[in-house]
Amino acid sequence: KTARLVPIKTLEGFDFSFQPSIDRERVAALAQLDFIRRAEVVHFLGPPGTGKSHLATALGVAAVKAGRSVYRATLAELVEALSKAEQEGRLSEKIRFYARASLLIVDEIGYLPITQGGANLFFQLVNARYEKGAMILTSNRGFAEWGEVFGDPVVATALLDRLLHHAVVLQIEGASYRLRGHADLIPEY
Ligand code: ADP
């Protein structure tokens, strides 16, 4: 298997001047990691390419440096792993595994629709971590659209009930960093 070289995302490597809608002080406060001790949920919301994954990963890197256990996956990866575990009769073991990390980062909520069964599995995981372990979630969709994302408005409401109870929401409004320098190619710019 060939090695994949992924550049490490850090807060130092983030250009806050490119994304003025992000409150740098709030991100710096999160990097103190008290949100992990308090088992809070941090939401990064905003359009693609605005740095949500970068900031989530950078906080994860800070947490690892501080000796905390961190697990990161996309929502689609989590749901796939949970449903595989369910088929193999290992669901509670798998949920315990994900519940154990001090910080669970769930990336890319909203890109791929989740089936009702998948939403139920994710709900069980969120419930297992609720008020016990911190999470960072990134999404390109507003909370009002979660019914659509999770294919079930009832489960979406129950998810949001827990995920917004002890929560910090950072809404990013701005241009994609990936497309910087190509403003002429994008009509909405
Ligand atoms: P999102 O999760 O919002 O879709 P990413 O965090 O994946 O966006 O950002 C896309 C790419 O652009 C990544 O390689 C990321 O490191 C980089 N990037 C985004 N915003 C910034 C920024 N303000 N400063 C430096 N790099 C950035």
mmCIF file of all heavy atoms in Angstrom, residues 62-110:
data_model
loop_
_atom_site.group_PDB
_atom_site.id
_atom_site.type_symbol
_atom_site.label_atom_id
_atom_site.label_comp_id
_atom_site.label_asym_id
_atom_site.label_seq_id
_atom_site.Cartn_x
_atom_site.Cartn_y
_atom_site.Cartn_z
ATOM 1 N N ALA A 62 -4.241 19.900 18.063
ATOM 2 C CA ALA A 62 -3.918 20.533 19.359
ATOM 3 C C ALA A 62 -4.281 19.595 20.506
ATOM 4 O O ALA A 62 -3.539 19.477 21.493
ATOM 5 C CB ALA A 62 -4.655 21.872 19.482
ATOM 6 N N ALA A 63 -5.414 18.909 20.377
ATOM 7 C CA ALA A 63 -5.858 17.997 21.435
ATOM 8 C C ALA A 63 -4.912 16.805 21.562
ATOM 9 O O ALA A 63 -4.567 16.388 22.677
ATOM 10 C CB ALA A 63 -7.291 17.529 21.157
ATOM 11 N N VAL A 64 -4.474 16.264 20.416
ATOM 12 C CA VAL A 64 -3.531 15.134 20.451
ATOM 13 C C VAL A 64 -2.228 15.566 21.121
ATOM 14 O O VAL A 64 -1.678 14.860 21.960
ATOM 15 C CB VAL A 64 -3.263 14.596 19.020
ATOM 16 C CG1 VAL A 64 -2.077 13.644 18.997
ATOM 17 C CG2 VAL A 64 -4.515 13.896 18.483
ATOM 18 N N LYS A 65 -1.764 16.790 20.770
ATOM 19 C CA LYS A 65 -0.529 17.312 21.379
ATOM 20 C C LYS A 65 -0.687 17.451 22.887
ATOM 21 O O LYS A 65 0.280 17.334 23.638
ATOM 22 C CB LYS A 65 -0.168 18.670 20.775
ATOM 23 C CG LYS A 65 0.501 18.543 19.413
ATOM 24 C CD LYS A 65 0.934 19.902 18.898
ATOM 25 C CE LYS A 65 1.531 19.795 17.500
ATOM 26 N NZ LYS A 65 1.449 21.080 16.772
ATOM 27 N N ALA A 66 -1.926 17.719 23.326
ATOM 28 C CA ALA A 66 -2.188 17.863 24.760
ATOM 29 C C ALA A 66 -2.459 16.509 25.421
ATOM 30 O O ALA A 66 -2.843 16.451 26.589
ATOM 31 C CB ALA A 66 -3.369 18.805 24.978
ATOM 32 N N GLY A 67 -2.279 15.438 24.637
ATOM 33 C CA GLY A 67 -2.390 14.102 25.223
ATOM 34 C C GLY A 67 -3.797 13.520 25.239
ATOM 35 O O GLY A 67 -4.053 12.510 25.890
ATOM 36 N N ARG A 68 -4.733 14.163 24.524
ATOM 37 C CA ARG A 68 -6.101 13.645 24.498
ATOM 38 C C ARG A 68 -6.252 12.671 23.326
ATOM 39 O O ARG A 68 -5.553 12.784 22.326
ATOM 40 C CB ARG A 68 -7.120 14.792 24.316
ATOM 41 C CG ARG A 68 -6.883 16.001 25.193
ATOM 42 C CD ARG A 68 -6.819 15.661 26.673
ATOM 43 N NE ARG A 68 -8.041 15.076 27.193
ATOM 44 C CZ ARG A 68 -8.935 15.726 27.925
ATOM 45 N NH1 ARG A 68 -8.755 16.995 28.230
ATOM 46 N NH2 ARG A 68 -10.007 15.117 28.376
ATOM 47 N N SER A 69 -7.194 11.755 23.471
ATOM 48 C CA SER A 69 -7.453 10.828 22.368
ATOM 49 C C SER A 69 -8.492 11.438 21.438
ATOM 50 O O SER A 69 -9.500 11.978 21.882
ATOM 51 C CB SER A 69 -7.935 9.482 22.890
ATOM 52 O OG SER A 69 -9.053 9.666 23.727
ATOM 53 N N VAL A 70 -8.187 11.381 20.152
ATOM 54 C CA VAL A 70 -9.045 12.029 19.152
ATOM 55 C C VAL A 70 -9.352 11.023 18.052
ATOM 56 O O VAL A 70 -8.470 10.280 17.617
ATOM 57 C CB VAL A 70 -8.331 13.260 18.537
ATOM 58 C CG1 VAL A 70 -9.188 13.905 17.452
ATOM 59 C CG2 VAL A 70 -7.969 14.276 19.618
ATOM 60 N N TYR A 71 -10.597 10.985 17.616
ATOM 61 C CA TYR A 71 -10.963 10.169 16.474
ATOM 62 C C TYR A 71 -11.665 11.051 15.465
ATOM 63 O O TYR A 71 -12.515 11.857 15.829
ATOM 64 C CB TYR A 71 -11.870 9.005 16.895
ATOM 65 C CG TYR A 71 -11.995 7.975 15.806
ATOM 66 C CD1 TYR A 71 -11.130 6.888 15.734
ATOM 67 C CD2 TYR A 71 -12.969 8.119 14.817
ATOM 68 C CE1 TYR A 71 -11.220 5.957 14.715
ATOM 69 C CE2 TYR A 71 -13.060 7.195 13.785
ATOM 70 C CZ TYR A 71 -12.194 6.119 13.740
ATOM 71 O OH TYR A 71 -12.280 5.219 12.721
ATOM 72 N N ARG A 72 -11.291 10.930 14.182
ATOM 73 C CA ARG A 72 -11.904 11.745 13.150
ATOM 74 C C ARG A 72 -12.392 10.885 12.000
ATOM 75 O O ARG A 72 -11.705 9.968 11.554
ATOM 76 C CB ARG A 72 -10.886 12.765 12.606
ATOM 77 C CG ARG A 72 -11.464 13.695 11.565
ATOM 78 C CD ARG A 72 -10.521 13.912 10.378
ATOM 79 N NE ARG A 72 -11.264 14.359 9.224
ATOM 80 C CZ ARG A 72 -11.631 13.567 8.217
ATOM 81 N NH1 ARG A 72 -11.313 12.300 8.211
ATOM 82 N NH2 ARG A 72 -12.320 14.058 7.216
ATOM 83 N N ALA A 73 -13.592 11.170 11.527
ATOM 84 C CA ALA A 73 -14.128 10.481 10.354
ATOM 85 C C ALA A 73 -15.160 11.383 9.706
ATOM 86 O O ALA A 73 -15.663 12.317 10.339
ATOM 87 C CB ALA A 73 -14.778 9.158 10.763
ATOM 88 N N THR A 74 -15.458 11.109 8.443
ATOM 89 C CA THR A 74 -16.598 11.795 7.839
ATOM 90 C C THR A 74 -17.867 11.112 8.360
ATOM 91 O O THR A 74 -17.829 9.950 8.804
ATOM 92 C CB THR A 74 -16.578 11.709 6.306
ATOM 93 O OG1 THR A 74 -16.745 10.340 5.919
ATOM 94 C CG2 THR A 74 -15.273 12.252 5.731
ATOM 95 N N LEU A 75 -18.990 11.818 8.286
ATOM 96 C CA LEU A 75 -20.248 11.206 8.711
ATOM 97 C C LEU A 75 -20.516 9.935 7.905
ATOM 98 O O LEU A 75 -20.928 8.915 8.457
ATOM 99 C CB LEU A 75 -21.409 12.201 8.542
ATOM 100 C CG LEU A 75 -22.787 11.631 8.889
ATOM 101 C CD1 LEU A 75 -22.883 11.211 10.348
ATOM 102 C CD2 LEU A 75 -23.887 12.637 8.545
ATOM 103 N N ALA A 76 -20.251 9.985 6.594
ATOM 104 C CA ALA A 76 -20.497 8.812 5.737
ATOM 105 C C ALA A 76 -19.647 7.620 6.185
ATOM 106 O O ALA A 76 -20.141 6.486 6.234
ATOM 107 C CB ALA A 76 -20.209 9.168 4.276
ATOM 108 N N GLU A 77 -18.390 7.882 6.549
ATOM 109 C CA GLU A 77 -17.515 6.793 7.023
ATOM 110 C C GLU A 77 -18.016 6.203 8.336
ATOM 111 O O GLU A 77 -18.020 4.982 8.519
ATOM 112 C CB GLU A 77 -16.082 7.314 7.220
ATOM 113 C CG GLU A 77 -15.346 7.592 5.920
ATOM 114 C CD GLU A 77 -14.081 8.433 6.114
ATOM 115 O OE1 GLU A 77 -13.846 8.987 7.218
ATOM 116 O OE2 GLU A 77 -13.336 8.560 5.122
ATOM 117 N N LEU A 78 -18.446 7.094 9.240
ATOM 118 C CA LEU A 78 -18.959 6.633 10.541
ATOM 119 C C LEU A 78 -20.178 5.744 10.366
ATOM 120 O O LEU A 78 -20.271 4.665 10.955
ATOM 121 C CB LEU A 78 -19.365 7.833 11.398
ATOM 122 C CG LEU A 78 -18.365 8.454 12.343
ATOM 123 C CD1 LEU A 78 -19.061 9.503 13.191
ATOM 124 C CD2 LEU A 78 -17.722 7.398 13.230
ATOM 125 N N VAL A 79 -21.116 6.241 9.540
ATOM 126 C CA VAL A 79 -22.363 5.505 9.341
ATOM 127 C C VAL A 79 -22.072 4.154 8.688
ATOM 128 O O VAL A 79 -22.650 3.132 9.062
ATOM 129 C CB VAL A 79 -23.358 6.346 8.502
ATOM 130 C CG1 VAL A 79 -24.487 5.496 7.974
ATOM 131 C CG2 VAL A 79 -23.894 7.503 9.337
ATOM 132 N N GLU A 80 -21.137 4.138 7.740
ATOM 133 C CA GLU A 80 -20.788 2.874 7.084
ATOM 134 C C GLU A 80 -20.182 1.891 8.092
ATOM 135 O O GLU A 80 -20.549 0.711 8.111
ATOM 136 C CB GLU A 80 -19.806 3.141 5.942
ATOM 137 C CG GLU A 80 -19.703 1.968 4.983
ATOM 138 C CD GLU A 80 -18.542 2.110 4.013
ATOM 139 O OE1 GLU A 80 -18.413 3.200 3.415
ATOM 140 O OE2 GLU A 80 -17.781 1.139 3.869
ATOM 141 N N ALA A 81 -19.285 2.404 8.927
ATOM 142 C CA ALA A 81 -18.643 1.527 9.915
ATOM 143 C C ALA A 81 -19.664 1.016 10.928
ATOM 144 O O ALA A 81 -19.622 -0.153 11.330
ATOM 145 C CB ALA A 81 -17.517 2.277 10.620
ATOM 146 N N LEU A 82 -20.599 1.891 11.318
ATOM 147 C CA LEU A 82 -21.608 1.467 12.291
ATOM 148 C C LEU A 82 -22.541 0.430 11.680
ATOM 149 O O LEU A 82 -22.907 -0.550 12.345
ATOM 150 C CB LEU A 82 -22.406 2.679 12.802
ATOM 151 C CG LEU A 82 -21.667 3.634 13.736
ATOM 152 C CD1 LEU A 82 -22.501 4.883 14.001
ATOM 153 C CD2 LEU A 82 -21.309 2.957 15.061
ATOM 154 N N SER A 83 -22.930 0.623 10.407
ATOM 155 C CA SER A 83 -23.874 -0.350 9.854
ATOM 156 C C SER A 83 -23.191 -1.686 9.575
ATOM 157 O O SER A 83 -23.805 -2.743 9.736
ATOM 158 C CB SER A 83 -24.650 0.186 8.647
ATOM 159 O OG SER A 83 -23.793 0.590 7.662
ATOM 160 N N LYS A 84 -21.905 -1.641 9.237
ATOM 161 C CA LYS A 84 -21.158 -2.894 9.083
ATOM 162 C C LYS A 84 -21.088 -3.629 10.431
ATOM 163 O O LYS A 84 -21.317 -4.840 10.507
ATOM 164 C CB LYS A 84 -19.752 -2.587 8.572
ATOM 165 C CG LYS A 84 -18.918 -3.786 8.242
ATOM 166 C CD LYS A 84 -17.734 -3.397 7.339
ATOM 167 C CE LYS A 84 -16.774 -4.557 7.123
ATOM 168 N NZ LYS A 84 -15.900 -4.789 8.304
ATOM 169 N N ALA A 85 -20.792 -2.861 11.483
ATOM 170 C CA ALA A 85 -20.714 -3.461 12.818
ATOM 171 C C ALA A 85 -22.062 -4.055 13.223
ATOM 172 O O ALA A 85 -22.133 -5.137 13.821
ATOM 173 C CB ALA A 85 -20.263 -2.415 13.838
ATOM 174 N N GLU A 86 -23.148 -3.346 12.868
ATOM 175 C CA GLU A 86 -24.485 -3.847 13.210
ATOM 176 C C GLU A 86 -24.744 -5.190 12.528
ATOM 177 O O GLU A 86 -25.204 -6.141 13.155
ATOM 178 C CB GLU A 86 -25.548 -2.826 12.797
ATOM 179 C CG GLU A 86 -26.953 -3.197 13.251
ATOM 180 C CD GLU A 86 -27.985 -2.164 12.803
ATOM 181 O OE1 GLU A 86 -27.860 -1.628 11.677
ATOM 182 O OE2 GLU A 86 -28.903 -1.896 13.585
ATOM 183 N N GLN A 87 -24.391 -5.250 11.218
ATOM 184 C CA GLN A 87 -24.582 -6.507 10.473
ATOM 185 C C GLN A 87 -23.793 -7.656 11.094
ATOM 186 O O GLN A 87 -24.211 -8.804 11.037
ATOM 187 C CB GLN A 87 -24.129 -6.328 9.019
ATOM 188 C CG GLN A 87 -25.152 -5.623 8.142
ATOM 189 C CD GLN A 87 -24.499 -5.010 6.900
ATOM 190 O OE1 GLN A 87 -23.473 -5.505 6.427
ATOM 191 N NE2 GLN A 87 -25.084 -3.939 6.387
ATOM 192 N N GLU A 88 -22.642 -7.307 11.678
ATOM 193 C CA GLU A 88 -21.785 -8.350 12.250
ATOM 194 C C GLU A 88 -22.062 -8.588 13.730
ATOM 195 O O GLU A 88 -21.319 -9.307 14.394
ATOM 196 C CB GLU A 88 -20.307 -7.960 12.043
ATOM 197 C CG GLU A 88 -19.914 -7.961 10.563
ATOM 198 C CD GLU A 88 -18.570 -7.295 10.309
ATOM 199 O OE1 GLU A 88 -17.970 -6.740 11.263
ATOM 200 O OE2 GLU A 88 -18.125 -7.315 9.146
ATOM 201 N N GLY A 89 -23.125 -7.939 14.235
ATOM 202 C CA GLY A 89 -23.493 -8.143 15.638
ATOM 203 C C GLY A 89 -22.540 -7.502 16.629
ATOM 204 O O GLY A 89 -22.452 -7.918 17.781
ATOM 205 N N ARG A 90 -21.803 -6.462 16.162
ATOM 206 C CA ARG A 90 -20.824 -5.810 17.053
ATOM 207 C C ARG A 90 -21.151 -4.342 17.274
ATOM 208 O O ARG A 90 -20.263 -3.542 17.555
ATOM 209 C CB ARG A 90 -19.410 -5.897 16.432
ATOM 210 C CG ARG A 90 -18.848 -7.281 16.212
ATOM 211 C CD ARG A 90 -17.439 -7.198 15.618
ATOM 212 N NE ARG A 90 -17.447 -6.689 14.248
ATOM 213 C CZ ARG A 90 -17.057 -5.469 13.904
ATOM 214 N NH1 ARG A 90 -16.613 -4.617 14.804
ATOM 215 N NH2 ARG A 90 -17.104 -5.086 12.641
ATOM 216 N N LEU A 91 -22.427 -3.970 17.141
ATOM 217 C CA LEU A 91 -22.770 -2.540 17.187
ATOM 218 C C LEU A 91 -22.417 -1.890 18.519
ATOM 219 O O LEU A 91 -21.800 -0.825 18.540
ATOM 220 C CB LEU A 91 -24.260 -2.333 16.864
ATOM 221 C CG LEU A 91 -24.706 -0.869 16.873
ATOM 222 C CD1 LEU A 91 -23.945 -0.041 15.842
ATOM 223 C CD2 LEU A 91 -26.214 -0.754 16.629
ATOM 224 N N SER A 92 -22.779 -2.519 19.623
ATOM 225 C CA SER A 92 -22.525 -1.842 20.903
ATOM 226 C C SER A 92 -21.030 -1.716 21.169
ATOM 227 O O SER A 92 -20.573 -0.712 21.717
ATOM 228 C CB SER A 92 -23.252 -2.528 22.060
ATOM 229 O OG SER A 92 -23.090 -3.899 21.995
ATOM 230 N N GLU A 93 -20.271 -2.716 20.718
ATOM 231 C CA GLU A 93 -18.808 -2.647 20.846
ATOM 232 C C GLU A 93 -18.267 -1.454 20.050
ATOM 233 O O GLU A 93 -17.418 -0.690 20.525
ATOM 234 C CB GLU A 93 -18.249 -3.962 20.299
ATOM 235 C CG GLU A 93 -16.781 -4.185 20.446
ATOM 236 C CD GLU A 93 -16.347 -5.401 19.609
ATOM 237 O OE1 GLU A 93 -17.104 -6.408 19.585
ATOM 238 O OE2 GLU A 93 -15.299 -5.332 18.969
ATOM 239 N N LYS A 94 -18.790 -1.280 18.825
ATOM 240 C CA LYS A 94 -18.323 -0.199 17.952
ATOM 241 C C LYS A 94 -18.708 1.165 18.536
ATOM 242 O O LYS A 94 -17.915 2.110 18.507
ATOM 243 C CB LYS A 94 -18.946 -0.373 16.555
ATOM 244 C CG LYS A 94 -18.262 0.408 15.462
ATOM 245 C CD LYS A 94 -16.952 -0.240 15.089
ATOM 246 C CE LYS A 94 -16.228 0.483 13.966
ATOM 247 N NZ LYS A 94 -14.873 -0.057 13.806
ATOM 248 N N ILE A 95 -19.923 1.258 19.061
ATOM 249 C CA ILE A 95 -20.349 2.524 19.659
ATOM 250 C C ILE A 95 -19.483 2.842 20.875
ATOM 251 O O ILE A 95 -19.055 3.978 21.062
ATOM 252 C CB ILE A 95 -21.854 2.489 20.010
ATOM 253 C CG1 ILE A 95 -22.652 2.591 18.706
ATOM 254 C CG2 ILE A 95 -22.238 3.608 20.979
ATOM 255 C CD1 ILE A 95 -24.143 2.543 18.856
ATOM 256 N N ARG A 96 -19.169 1.824 21.658
ATOM 257 C CA ARG A 96 -18.279 2.047 22.808
ATOM 258 C C ARG A 96 -16.919 2.551 22.344
ATOM 259 O O ARG A 96 -16.327 3.437 22.953
ATOM 260 C CB ARG A 96 -18.123 0.767 23.634
ATOM 261 C CG ARG A 96 -19.193 0.602 24.704
ATOM 262 C CD ARG A 96 -18.753 -0.375 25.798
ATOM 263 N NE ARG A 96 -18.329 -1.664 25.269
ATOM 264 C CZ ARG A 96 -19.168 -2.647 24.937
ATOM 265 N NH1 ARG A 96 -20.466 -2.496 25.102
ATOM 266 N NH2 ARG A 96 -18.707 -3.787 24.469
ATOM 267 N N PHE A 97 -16.422 1.996 21.244
ATOM 268 C CA PHE A 97 -15.132 2.431 20.698
ATOM 269 C C PHE A 97 -15.160 3.921 20.344
ATOM 270 O O PHE A 97 -14.291 4.686 20.754
ATOM 271 C CB PHE A 97 -14.771 1.583 19.463
ATOM 272 C CG PHE A 97 -13.603 2.123 18.684
ATOM 273 C CD1 PHE A 97 -12.304 1.927 19.129
ATOM 274 C CD2 PHE A 97 -13.804 2.858 17.511
ATOM 275 C CE1 PHE A 97 -11.226 2.432 18.418
ATOM 276 C CE2 PHE A 97 -12.731 3.363 16.805
ATOM 277 C CZ PHE A 97 -11.440 3.154 17.261
ATOM 278 N N TYR A 98 -16.194 4.347 19.621
ATOM 279 C CA TYR A 98 -16.285 5.765 19.221
ATOM 280 C C TYR A 98 -16.604 6.666 20.417
ATOM 281 O O TYR A 98 -16.304 7.851 20.400
ATOM 282 C CB TYR A 98 -17.355 5.962 18.149
ATOM 283 C CG TYR A 98 -16.999 5.403 16.803
ATOM 284 C CD1 TYR A 98 -17.890 4.578 16.130
ATOM 285 C CD2 TYR A 98 -15.787 5.700 16.196
ATOM 286 C CE1 TYR A 98 -17.585 4.058 14.879
ATOM 287 C CE2 TYR A 98 -15.465 5.177 14.950
ATOM 288 C CZ TYR A 98 -16.366 4.362 14.301
ATOM 289 O OH TYR A 98 -16.064 3.849 13.069
ATOM 290 N N ALA A 99 -17.247 6.104 21.421
ATOM 291 C CA ALA A 99 -17.623 6.907 22.584
ATOM 292 C C ALA A 99 -16.418 7.141 23.490
ATOM 293 O O ALA A 99 -16.435 8.033 24.325
ATOM 294 C CB ALA A 99 -18.764 6.232 23.359
ATOM 295 N N ARG A 100 -15.374 6.329 23.313
ATOM 296 C CA ARG A 100 -14.229 6.378 24.222
ATOM 297 C C ARG A 100 -13.299 7.570 23.988
ATOM 298 O O ARG A 100 -12.702 8.087 24.931
ATOM 299 C CB ARG A 100 -13.424 5.079 24.085
ATOM 300 C CG ARG A 100 -13.184 4.449 25.397
ATOM 301 C CD ARG A 100 -12.501 3.090 25.414
ATOM 302 N NE ARG A 100 -12.107 2.485 24.182
ATOM 303 C CZ ARG A 100 -12.558 1.289 23.766
ATOM 304 N NH1 ARG A 100 -13.449 0.635 24.465
ATOM 305 N NH2 ARG A 100 -12.112 0.773 22.640
ATOM 306 N N ALA A 101 -13.121 7.987 22.745
ATOM 307 C CA ALA A 101 -12.198 9.093 22.452
ATOM 308 C C ALA A 101 -12.634 10.358 23.202
ATOM 309 O O ALA A 101 -13.826 10.608 23.355
ATOM 310 C CB ALA A 101 -12.175 9.351 20.946
ATOM 311 N N SER A 102 -11.664 11.152 23.661
ATOM 312 C CA SER A 102 -12.065 12.405 24.348
ATOM 313 C C SER A 102 -12.671 13.385 23.382
ATOM 314 O O SER A 102 -13.450 14.238 23.770
ATOM 315 C CB SER A 102 -10.920 13.119 25.057
ATOM 316 O OG SER A 102 -9.809 12.370 25.235
ATOM 317 N N LEU A 103 -12.272 13.270 22.115
ATOM 318 C CA LEU A 103 -12.822 14.163 21.089
ATOM 319 C C LEU A 103 -13.152 13.343 19.846
ATOM 320 O O LEU A 103 -12.298 12.617 19.339
ATOM 321 C CB LEU A 103 -11.808 15.260 20.744
ATOM 322 C CG LEU A 103 -12.165 16.173 19.551
ATOM 323 C CD1 LEU A 103 -13.446 16.951 19.819
ATOM 324 C CD2 LEU A 103 -11.014 17.134 19.251
ATOM 325 N N LEU A 104 -14.380 13.468 19.389
ATOM 326 C CA LEU A 104 -14.786 12.825 18.136
ATOM 327 C C LEU A 104 -15.083 13.917 17.119
ATOM 328 O O LEU A 104 -15.914 14.800 17.369
ATOM 329 C CB LEU A 104 -16.027 11.952 18.357
ATOM 330 C CG LEU A 104 -16.599 11.284 17.095
ATOM 331 C CD1 LEU A 104 -15.637 10.252 16.519
ATOM 332 C CD2 LEU A 104 -17.945 10.630 17.397
ATOM 333 N N ILE A 105 -14.366 13.894 16.001
ATOM 334 C CA ILE A 105 -14.607 14.877 14.935
ATOM 335 C C ILE A 105 -15.420 14.202 13.840
ATOM 336 O O ILE A 105 -15.012 13.167 13.300
ATOM 337 C CB ILE A 105 -13.274 15.397 14.352
ATOM 338 C CG1 ILE A 105 -12.420 16.038 15.462
ATOM 339 C CG2 ILE A 105 -13.526 16.389 13.220
ATOM 340 C CD1 ILE A 105 -11.036 16.484 15.004
ATOM 341 N N VAL A 106 -16.576 14.772 13.545
ATOM 342 C CA VAL A 106 -17.419 14.239 12.464
ATOM 343 C C VAL A 106 -17.458 15.279 11.354
ATOM 344 O O VAL A 106 -18.039 16.355 11.501
ATOM 345 C CB VAL A 106 -18.842 13.922 12.954
ATOM 346 C CG1 VAL A 106 -19.650 13.286 11.820
ATOM 347 C CG2 VAL A 106 -18.810 13.005 14.172
ATOM 348 N N ASP A 107 -16.793 14.931 10.267
ATOM 349 C CA ASP A 107 -16.598 15.871 9.169
ATOM 350 C C ASP A 107 -17.641 15.628 8.071
ATOM 351 O O ASP A 107 -18.184 14.532 7.952
ATOM 352 C CB ASP A 107 -15.187 15.634 8.606
ATOM 353 C CG ASP A 107 -14.555 16.907 8.065
ATOM 354 O OD1 ASP A 107 -15.245 17.930 7.953
ATOM 355 O OD2 ASP A 107 -13.351 16.864 7.754
ATOM 356 N N GLU A 108 -17.883 16.681 7.285
ATOM 357 C CA GLU A 108 -18.682 16.560 6.054
ATOM 358 C C GLU A 108 -20.118 16.110 6.279
ATOM 359 O O GLU A 108 -20.626 15.245 5.563
ATOM 360 C CB GLU A 108 -17.979 15.618 5.064
ATOM 361 C CG GLU A 108 -16.641 16.161 4.608
ATOM 362 C CD GLU A 108 -15.961 15.280 3.552
ATOM 363 O OE1 GLU A 108 -16.596 14.356 3.032
ATOM 364 O OE2 GLU A 108 -14.789 15.556 3.263
ATOM 365 N N ILE A 109 -20.782 16.685 7.266
ATOM 366 C CA ILE A 109 -22.213 16.444 7.412
ATOM 367 C C ILE A 109 -22.920 17.245 6.324
ATOM 368 O O ILE A 109 -22.641 18.432 6.147
ATOM 369 C CB ILE A 109 -22.700 16.886 8.809
ATOM 370 C CG1 ILE A 109 -22.051 16.008 9.878
ATOM 371 C CG2 ILE A 109 -24.229 16.840 8.904
ATOM 372 C CD1 ILE A 109 -22.363 16.433 11.300
ATOM 373 N N GLY A 110 -23.800 16.585 5.579
ATOM 374 C CA GLY A 110 -24.595 17.327 4.605
ATOM 375 C C GLY A 110 -24.252 17.109 3.152
ATOM 376 O O GLY A 110 -25.024 17.474 2.287
#
